[in-house]
Amino acid sequence: VRILQFGDSHTAGGDITASLLWRLQSRFPGRDIRLEARGVVGDTLRGLESYSPLFDGPAPDLIVLAYGTNDGFDDLLDPAVFERQLREQIGRVRREAPGASVLLLGAPEAMR
């Protein structure tokens, strides 16, 4: 099973991806589960646009989009624009990896 996660510092730091991988390996022992994390500190959903193509080689089985923390601290954030961008990126993922599942990982609570 090949998993590809895109995101911000929470992805780049590796704690969330390591926990996800550990949980999957514990739940499905003996399976070959590979998780590749592509996280950039300070990144927002717009950063996903810079990945072209999204991946090399065979399509992943699962693509995780883990954005929102930095977007949530943008005082000029327009929720309607964010929704449009998110829908566009989900559509892009589905076009580039039509057989892959998509998991949206929301930002942790930031009291904002």
Side-chain angles (χ1 to χ4, degrees), residues 41-64:
V41 175
D43 212 357
T44 63
L45 180 62
R46 292 200 66 203
L48 186 58
E49 297 171 0
S50 67
Y51 290 96
S52 183
L54 285 174
F55 54 88
D56 298 322
D61 300 294
L62 172 65
I63 296 179
V64 180

Side-chain angles (χ1 to χ4, degrees), residues 46-112:
R46 292 200 66 203
L48 186 58
E49 297 171 0
S50 67
Y51 290 96
S52 183
L54 285 174
F55 54 88
D56 298 322
D61 300 294
L62 172 65
I63 296 179
V64 180
L65 302 180
Y67 292 97
T69 302
N70 299 307
D71 301 272
F73 283 95
D74 179 356
D75 291 332
L76 301 177
L77 177 73
D78 181 336
V81 171
F82 182 83
E83 178 182 357
R84 181 182 49 75
Q85 290 172 334
L86 181 58
R87 289 181 184 277
E88 287 172 1
Q89 291 306 313
I90 293 170
R92 177 179 173 212
V93 166
R94 289 187 172 150
R95 284 189 305 277
E96 292 190 35
S101 295
V102 178
L103 172 65
L104 299 179
L105 233 153
E109 178 58 57
M111 305 299 286
R112 174 112 168 123

Side-chain angles (χ1 to χ4, degrees), residues 12-60:
D15 290 340
I16 292 173
T17 52
S19 176
L20 174 60
L21 183 58
W22 178 82
R23 288 172 183 245
L24 289 170
Q25 289 172 335
S26 297
R27 186 166 180 188
F28 305 104
R31 305 263 176 143
D32 181 18
I33 301 172
R34 289 174 278 148
L35 194 151
E36 179 184 344
R38 295 188 185 172
V40 176
V41 175
D43 212 357
T44 63
L45 180 62
R46 292 200 66 203
L48 186 58
E49 297 171 0
S50 67
Y51 290 96
S52 183
L54 285 174
F55 54 88
D56 298 322

